[in-house]
Amino acid sequence: MPTETVQPGKASLLYDPKIRGYVYQAALLAVVGFLLYSAASNAITNLRAQKIASGFGFWHNAAGFDVNQKLIPFSASGSTYGEAFYVGLLNTLLVASIGIVLSTFLGFFVGVARLSSNWVLSKLAMIYVEVIRNLPLLLQLFFWYNAVLKPLPNPRQSIDLHFFGLGWPSPLLTGLMAIAAGLAWLLYKSSDRLANSDRDRGLVKLVSGVVLTVATVIWLVYSGILHVVSSGFLLNNRGLYLPDPQLGPGGSLIVWTFLIGIVASIIFRVWARKQQEATGKQYPVGWIALGLIVVLPFFVYLVTGRPVSFIYPEIAGFNLRGGIQIFPEFVALLLGLTTYTAGFIAEVVRAGILAVSKGQTEAANALGLRAGPTLKLVVIPQAMRVIIPPLTSNYLNLTKNSSLAVAIGYPDLVQVFTGTVLNQTGQAVEVVAITMAVYLTISLVTSFFMNIYNKRMALVER
Amino acid sequence: MTDATLENSPYAFVRKETLPQETAPLSVAGPLAWVRANLFSGPVNSILTLLCVYIVVTTVPEMVRFYFIDAVWSGTNRDACLADKIGRPVGACWAYIADRFQYFIYGSYPVPQRWRVNIVFAMFALGVVWLLWERAPLKKVGLFFFFVMLPIGAYVLLLGGPNAEGFLRWLIILTLVLMVVYLVLSFVPALARFWIGPAFLAVEEAQPPWKRFYRPKRLILLSLVVFGLIAILADTIGLPRVDTGLWGGMTVTFLIAAVGIVFSLPLGVILALGRRSRLPIIQLLSVIFIEFVRGVPLITVLFMANTMLPLFVPQEYSPDRLLRPLVGVALFAAAYMAEVIRGGLQAMPKGQYEGAMSLGLGYWQMMRLIILPQALRIVIPGIVNTFIGLFKDTTLVTIVGIFDFLRTIEATLVDPTWATPTTRATGYAFAAMFYFLCCWGMSRYSISVEKRMAAGQKR
């Protein structure tokens, strides 16, 4: 039988994948290069025809416009376009960083609430997520700015958030509430002994639980939490006015104690973890941190003779004087970004928690861990692996979405730089390129750090 | 004797009949137990429940009162919605929505020409139903209709004028030429050797001529019908030019969304393939484009399109004001689409590629016939999600001065004819309903697709 050997043979150059690859790439490069070249040459011709100078010479020209919210000194008379850029950039970073923190808290709360066994709470969380995620952010910003904040009364008729107008609680009511709460708690605890059947026991627990709850809520509210939090808060169509804290002599000591407390608690936490790994002994990290960060500065505050005073905003003519003014544009943008992003973070958190298998919870329970430690030590760490990557992109989205500020007039980077500066100078190429470069840098830096964090949290497999 | 049974037992305490069943304790079953387990299972839960109930009780009745009970449903100007004019508290001013409804849909599109927009809406609805309805026939023809016929038809119908009619004439001639080519190829299949591999040619040749190349036949027929209908319309009623500056409302919103999806899907496929290509330059260019676009906000892309696009092309070809954001949105959506599709490509098992190669398929045949159909099917939910995002993002064109749906609402809010204290709340509620229905409907659809595909994967 003659064996036929098939010679691979030299394929025609036309069908050689390597050659084809080179040809394709060369063709693509040529097309892209031609597009870039013709775009650039067209741009040069057009700019020349419109008599617009190219280059970054405008950076040091006087700006001639003012910005209401500025973190660095800026004025219409003396400042340059370059400084306008920094004002806008700082405002973007400010709203993005506060928004990230707030939306993380709200998002985690809503995400956990959707998984709660509490029926009303989970349904409300579901409605929140569905509504927020299915409406355009711009519409929500318009809503917050035009429909909620703009119709507020003028400064003379500011709404005083001081305790929502409830006044101080009467001692009698406080006492009655305390007694009711105490009795209800006793009843709740001893319902097993008081009742004969399961049915009665359930009833007693239900009734005493409700009474206890009502009493506690009213009592908490009336014991002045709101009073402490909201005194001197004024709200009107020019924004939110907060008391301006002034540090008297020795006041900086409190700030220093606070900072030292934070550092000390971090050090203590590291030490406690090492101790636990070495000896198995656990330390009350949370309580000690609370003591160092909250109680110690408060103690210093009392010892140094209460050196913190507040300048409260007050009506002067047609405006308010004193206090810290937070502009409505900032409030609207922050509210919109926070609630919008929280809707997405909630779903990320929910997916992450659901991704942890039920067996993990059961195993933790079998080891004798209670619900709190189970969540903290077993479920959340594993959920974080699933949560972190999409959480990162939500943070980036929030930062990018802060550019919608231009629609409601919050002076962020896009509004100040790509809006006003571009209009005044007409240097579209430079201005848009700088703006895009800023956002690209923020994106890349954020993902770089989140990737490091992600790597640390990732599951180490064989 | 061991015949002791229950009946003759001497012991009286042996019970002879079963007890009647007792109802379960209230703390275990029934509404009360449900309330306890789901609402008041502990102090924290109880507080949360009461807080939630408080929120619901304070907001829902108030909203019902505002939007329904106290609402004004008819009227011709702001007097109908002023509390002191009609002598009762006024809630939402739906009369304003009813009065301005046409404007919200068509913007400033000339009234006698609005039937053209309606035809495009009908075509759009037909295409959407065709593609989304699971059991609709001729899905591939539907794809062709949505991705080719609809954009061309919408362009000719909406814009009109001599340019569009010339374009239409050219298209009809092209289609006729294609038809002739198809007829020739069907009877002389050897001519098709250039773009059909020999293996396929053998299959085609085994069939009678009228069955060969059956797909292009349907597509060409469909094109002829659609173009013919539009041409008849143009001839009988006439399609005068309507400048894009007059377009507005939902028309523009749907237009941007449709252009976004129509162009971003194929572009996204190409970018995703480019990103996974082994040719370094193609890969690098794709990565740069995708990461660059995904790293910047849509607004800056729109600003770039608005201010820089006219600079990059010769003055005489300066793009239309509506075209600029369309380009921006399409490029932006393409980058996001590319990442979604890349996910689908990565999910394909290697065996699929190897199987395709062992059949002797080339790169494009492998992608077109084996990989992409499966990969795209996996990522349908992701594509729908991207599309929901795109639909919400269409509102941003407001910022560069295009009259989309949200902008028309904003414009009517400052119009003194309807300026009342409650107009704003009504307008935003209407916009919210519109966007919510569209987006929520899409997300429901993607969930149902996901479930349907999960059912196929279940063992």
Side-chain angles (χ1 to χ4, degrees):
Chain A
M1 221 164 86
T3 51
E4 205 180 331
T5 50
V6 179
Q7 281 289 326
K10 198 86 181 114
S12 136
L13 274 184
L14 200 62
Y15 292 107
D16 187 350
K18 227 174 179 176
I19 305 279
R20 277 193 165 194
Y22 285 134
V23 172
Y24 287 150
Q25 300 192 66
L28 184 71
L29 262 189
V31 170
V32 172
F34 173 74
L35 283 179
L36 287 181
Y37 169 75
S38 61
S41 64
N42 280 329
I44 291 170
T45 327
N46 287 331
L47 285 176
R48 229 174 250 152
Q50 293 168 25
K51 297 200 169 55
I52 297 174
S54 56
F56 295 92
F58 71 99
W59 195 258
H60 299 292
N61 293 353
F65 62 90
D66 205 359
V67 175
N68 62 4
Q69 182 184 315
K70 49 211 165 191
L71 298 177
I72 52 173
F74 186 87
S75 66
S77 50
S79 296
T80 63
Y81 289 128
E83 281 165 326
F85 167 79
Y86 289 114
V87 168
L89 178 61
L90 285 178
N91 281 342
T92 292
L93 293 178
L94 178 75
V95 78
S97 48
I98 298 179
I100 282 175
V101 174
L102 292 183
S103 64
T104 308
F105 280 114
L106 187 59
F108 267 77
F109 174 73
V110 176
V112 173
R114 261 196 95 169
L115 291 171
S116 159
S117 63
N118 189 320
W119 185 82
V120 191
L121 186 65
S122 68
K123 287 290 171 253
L124 274 186
M126 190 193 80
I127 293 172
Y128 172 83
V129 169
E130 288 291 327
V131 169
I132 289 285
R133 295 204 323 157
N134 283 317
L135 294 180
L137 176 58
L138 191 63
L139 176 64
Q140 297 186 32
L141 288 181
F142 280 156
F143 169 77
W144 287 117
Y145 187 61
N146 291 332
V148 175
L149 294 176
K150 277 281 135 184
L152 286 173
N154 62 34
R156 289 191 68 84
Q157 276 113 33
S158 295
I159 301 169
D160 193 352
L161 295 182
H162 177 89
F163 213 18
F164 296 109
L166 290 177
W168 266 106
S170 70
L172 180 67
L173 190 64
T174 315
L176 282 179
M177 281 300 151
I179 292 169
L183 284 180
W185 180 245
L186 273 181
L187 202 62
Y188 190 84
K189 277 281 141 185
S190 54
S191 59
D192 287 342
R193 268 177 290 134
L194 285 175
N196 291 325
S197 68
D198 272 350
R199 178 191 165 148
D200 295 347
R201 204 169 300 141
L203 271 176
V204 168
K205 277 201 168 172
L206 179 66
V207 172
S208 58
V210 170
V211 172
L212 177 66
T213 313
V214 173
T216 316
V217 169
I218 297 179
W219 193 39
L220 279 179
V221 171
Y222 267 82
S223 15
I225 284 184
L226 285 174
H227 176 79
V228 173
V229 174
S230 66
S231 69
F233 281 45
L234 291 178
L235 189 64
N236 57 48
N237 60 9
R238 302 239 177 114
L240 178 66
Y241 288 77
L242 312 175
D244 193 1
Q246 301 288 314
L247 291 180
S252 57
L253 205 61
I254 301 172
V255 180
W256 281 112
T257 324
F258 177 69
L259 292 178
I260 291 169
I262 291 179
V263 174
S265 357
I266 292 173
I267 293 171
F268 178 72
R269 182 170 174 269
V270 173
W271 178 81
R273 176 161 283 191
K274 273 208 183 118
Q275 282 293 305
Q276 192 190 348
E277 277 166 7
T279 65
K281 193 169 170 353
Q282 288 184 342
Y283 291 88
V285 177
W287 288 110
I288 287 178
L290 186 76
L292 284 173
I293 298 173
V294 178
V295 180
L296 200 61
F298 186 69
F299 185 69
V300 173
Y301 167 74
L302 292 180
V303 167
T304 50
R306 307 184 189 183
V308 181
S309 61
F310 290 94
I311 296 180
Y312 291 98
E314 53 189 314
I315 295 167
F318 290 105
N319 212 338
L320 291 174
R321 194 173 49 203
I324 302 171
Q325 183 187 7
I326 301 181
F327 290 93
E329 293 82 14
F330 178 78
V331 178
L333 186 64
L334 192 63
L335 268 175
L337 284 178
T338 303
T339 49
Y340 184 75
T341 314
F344 288 84
I345 291 180
E347 287 298 274
V348 168
V349 170
R350 187 171 74 104
I353 292 178
L354 284 179
V356 178
S357 76
K358 201 159 183 283
Q360 295 287 329
T361 318
E362 288 167 348
N365 289 341
L367 283 177
L369 289 183
R370 278 173 286 112
T374 304
L375 205 65
K376 202 180 111 193
L377 300 172
V378 178
V379 177
I380 297 280
Q382 298 189 64
M384 283 315 272
R385 293 193 182 119
V386 185
I387 291 174
I388 285 174
L391 193 63
T392 312
S393 36
N394 273 314
Y395 289 165
L396 290 179
N397 278 344
L398 186 145
T399 311
K400 287 188 279 170
N401 280 337
S402 70
S403 59
L404 288 176
V406 70
I408 56 171
Y410 171 72
D412 82 322
L413 180 65
V414 171
Q415 205 261 345
V416 170
F417 201 59
T418 321
T420 315
V421 173
L422 174 58
N423 274 341
Q424 290 194 2
T425 61
Q427 297 197 298
V429 182
E430 293 86 355
V431 168
V432 172
I434 291 174
T435 316
M436 286 184 152
V438 166
Y439 283 103
L440 264 183
T441 317
I442 294 176
S443 288
L444 294 178
V445 169
T446 312
S447 20
F448 176 72
F449 281 112
M450 287 314 264
N451 278 336
I452 291 179
Y453 182 53
N454 192 21
K455 227 170 242 164
R456 275 192 49 190
M457 297 291 283
L459 196 61
V460 181
E461 288 193 57
R462 278 161 294 160
Chain B
M1 296 292 273
T2 54
D3 59 344
T5 61
L6 276 179
E7 276 68 37
N8 61 9
S9 150
Y11 304 111
F13 58 79
V14 175
R15 199 191 282 285
K16 292 189 179 104
E17 71 287 341
T18 25
L19 278 176
Q21 208 167 32
E22 271 201 67
T23 49
L26 270 183
S27 58
V28 177
L32 200 62
W34 182 88
V35 166
R36 217 166 77 79
N38 290 309
L39 303 179
F40 297 100
S41 57
V44 177
N45 246 344
S46 311
I47 294 174
L48 285 174
T49 303
L50 289 182
L51 221 65
C52 293
V53 169
Y54 174 77
I55 292 171
V56 171
V57 165
T58 46
T59 53
V60 172
E62 185 64 18
M63 281 174 74
V64 170
R65 188 192 63 74
F66 185 83
Y67 283 112
F68 297 99
I69 299 172
D70 284 353
V72 176
W73 299 90
S74 60
T76 51
N77 59 22
R78 67 196 290 265
D79 289 349
C81 294
L82 285 176
D84 43 347
K85 288 266 162 63
I86 60 170
R88 69 173 173 88
V90 169
C93 185
W94 294 116
Y96 140 75
I97 300 288
D99 184 55
R100 292 271 139 194
F101 196 65
Q102 297 269 323
Y103 182 65
F104 293 150
I105 294 178
Y106 303 105
S108 313
Y109 209 89
V111 179
Q113 299 298 325
R114 286 183 180 172
W115 57 270
R116 286 154 60 174
V117 184
N118 290 338
I119 291 180
V120 173
F121 272 138
M123 280 172 72
F124 186 68
L126 176 71
V128 167
V129 171
W130 202 340
L131 285 186
L132 296 193
W133 187 26
E134 196 194 345
R135 277 193 292 271
L138 303 175
K139 267 289 173 66
K140 288 190 173 163
V141 184
L143 271 178
F144 181 75
F145 179 77
F146 190 81
F147 283 94
V148 180
M149 297 279 77
L150 181 61
I152 296 174
Y155 168 74
V156 173
L157 274 174
L158 287 180
L159 192 65
N163 272 352
E165 279 174 22
F167 181 60
L168 182 67
R169 211 166 300 131
W170 185 77
L171 279 174
I172 290 177
I173 292 170
L174 182 76
T175 324
L176 286 172
V177 170
L178 275 179
M179 192 172 72
V180 172
V181 170
Y182 149 72
L183 279 174
V184 171
L185 282 182
S186 302
F187 286 93
V188 198
L191 285 176
R193 200 181 295 277
F194 290 109
W195 59 89
I196 295 179
F200 282 100
L201 206 58
V203 179
E204 300 279 357
E205 270 175 343
Q207 295 193 332
W210 59 88
K211 282 205 172 161
R212 289 173 203 154
F213 313 112
Y214 66 97
R215 274 187 298 266
K217 178 170 69 188
R218 285 178 181 156
L219 301 187
I220 289 172
L221 283 180
L222 180 75
S223 319
L224 280 181
V225 170
V226 173
F227 292 148
L229 282 177
I230 298 177
I232 291 171
L233 276 178
D235 201 45
T236 51
I237 316 180
L239 296 176
R241 185 182 164 89
V242 180
D243 271 320
T244 54
L246 297 173
W247 304 12
M250 283 182 204
T251 316
V252 164
T253 291
F254 281 125
L255 176 81
I256 298 168
V259 166
I261 192 90
V262 163
F263 284 95
S264 71
L265 207 50
L267 209 56
V269 169
I270 291 173
L271 282 170
L273 291 178
R275 192 166 186 167
R276 284 177 57 78
S277 163
R278 264 174 308 187
L279 306 175
I281 293 178
I282 293 182
Q283 194 194 16
L284 184 71
L285 287 176
S286 309
V287 170
I288 289 177
F289 178 83
I290 293 173
E291 293 303 326
F292 173 75
V293 173
R294 277 161 40 93
V296 299
L298 175 56
I299 295 234
T300 56
V301 175
L302 288 178
F303 270 118
M304 183 168 120
N306 215 28
T307 56
M308 284 160 78
L309 218 52
L311 290 179
F312 287 158
V313 295
Q315 204 108 57
E316 57 271 27
Y317 299 118
S318 186
D320 185 87
R321 280 197 62 84
L322 182 61
L323 184 65
R324 298 177 205 169
L326 286 182
V327 173
V329 167
L331 291 181
F332 190 77
Y336 280 82
M337 207 59 98
E339 286 300 273
V340 171
I341 292 167
R342 181 165 76 115
L345 290 176
Q346 280 174 349
M348 278 293 102
K350 213 167 172 236
Q352 295 290 328
Y353 290 90
E354 290 165 350
M357 284 185 221
S358 70
L359 281 178
L361 299 182
Y363 179 80
W364 290 109
Q365 281 175 330
M366 170 171 82
M367 285 302 166
R368 189 168 60 85
L369 300 171
I370 311 285
I371 305 296
L372 278 178
Q374 300 183 67
L376 287 179
R377 198 167 24 217
I378 298 178
V379 294
I380 285 180
I383 293 176
V384 177
N385 275 349
T386 313
F387 190 43
I388 294 176
L390 171 66
F391 190 78
K392 288 190 291 178
D393 281 346
T394 57
T395 50
L396 300 201
V397 298
T398 299
I399 295 168
V400 290
I402 306 295
F403 267 79
D404 77 322
F405 177 64
L406 189 57
R407 179 73 177 266
T408 54
I409 293 218
E410 281 282 302
T412 51
L413 290 182
V414 294
D415 175 10
T417 325
W418 280 105
T420 73
T422 63
T423 309
R424 203 170 276 282
T426 316
Y428 286 144
F430 180 63
M433 278 191 295
F434 169 73
Y435 285 108
F436 183 83
L437 284 181
C438 292
C439 297
W440 192 73
M442 281 189 273
S443 78
R444 288 283 108 185
Y445 176 77
S446 92
I447 289 172
S448 80
V449 168
E450 220 166 328
K451 280 207 180 122
R452 208 162 64 217
M453 286 190 312
Q457 295 294 320
K458 244 178 223 158
R459 272 165 252 266

